[in-house]
Amino acid sequence: MTAAPLLVAGVGNIFLADDAFGPEVIRALEQRPLAPEVQARVRVRDYGIRGLDLAYDLLGGCATAVLVDAARRGQRPGTLSLIEAEPPDGTVPPEAHGMDPAKVLALATHLGEEPLPRVLVLACEPEVLPAGDEDILPGLSAAVRAAVAPAVTALHALVPLLLADPAAPAAALGRSMENGPPHRAALPAHTPATAEDR
């Protein structure tokens, strides 16, 4: 079976509050699927906390991967960011269990000889993350729940762009643009917030 040129991966633990953002976006994407001609060229999968599975799939021949994840970036809860992941530099130890994206990329580099695909992260600023894995807290906060639909919309815009040009300049993909309530997503196919929106 030939690998799809683009991988969309939801990552996160559904029992750790806003860490479930990635899986929730993948679930919402099933309700609002990509266009059929796009779907045929994309693999969409909820990896949960299966970092080893994701590491192997990153080595499976895709040109680009978009990880959907909760990530603290100092923004308002619910803010979406598109981040270009830095290639592993050897300072982050690989980890086969768990789902720290940096450690998964390090693991993929350790497991394979071929170069990794380009990795982008569609990240959401969390509001609630338990202190430890022993603190089970299912369910997204209201701010992060509200970001799920805009994230799906962003994927509908991003995926065709990346299929057309896997090496599209990050600036054209909105890498440095972010959104947060009450602003609309400043990602491809979205109108940046105007002064009236603020």
Side-chain angles (χ1 to χ4, degrees):
M1 180 171 151
T2 305
L6 196 148
L7 173 67
V8 176
V11 300
N13 190 324
I14 61 170
F15 298 111
L16 298 182
D18 290 341
D19 196 51
F21 175 73
E24 287 293 333
V25 170
I26 299 303
R27 183 181 304 170
L29 192 58
E30 292 172 359
Q31 304 303 313
R32 285 177 54 200
L34 299 165
E37 65 275 11
V38 172
Q39 274 187 322
R41 302 178 59 208
V42 179
R43 181 173 186 192
V44 178
R45 186 173 176 195
D46 172 13
Y47 286 86
I49 56 171
R50 297 183 309 277
L52 185 61
D53 289 351
L54 176 56
Y56 276 118
D57 284 351
L58 288 171
L59 297 170
C62 64
T64 314
V66 178
L67 309 187
V68 185
D69 193 15
R72 291 202 185 278
R73 292 174 50 77
Q75 305 292 328
R76 290 173 294 182
T79 298
L80 294 177
S81 303
L82 186 63
I83 308 159
E84 182 118 23
E86 298 292 333
D89 61 4
T91 62
V92 177
E95 181 180 290
H97 305 287
M99 185 52 93
D100 178 319
K103 292 180 180 180
V104 170
L105 293 178
L107 176 62
T109 300
H110 179 74
L111 291 172
E113 297 179 1
E114 60 271 26
L116 293 181
R118 181 186 191 192
V119 177
L120 298 167
V121 181
L122 180 59
C124 182
E125 182 74 28
E127 183 170 24
V128 178
L129 287 179
D133 289 351
E134 67 280 357
D135 299 327
I136 294 177
L137 188 60
L140 299 178
S141 66
V144 172
R145 170 71 57 196
V148 169
V152 170
T153 300
L155 288 170
H156 274 264
L158 283 170
V159 167
L161 288 174
L162 291 169
L163 286 172
D165 181 7
L173 297 174
R175 178 177 184 264
S176 63
M177 298 179 179
E178 297 175 334
N179 82 298
H183 309 301
R184 291 169 291 175
L187 292 166
H190 290 74
T191 306
T194 65
E196 289 148 352
D197 294 325
R198 299 186 176 118

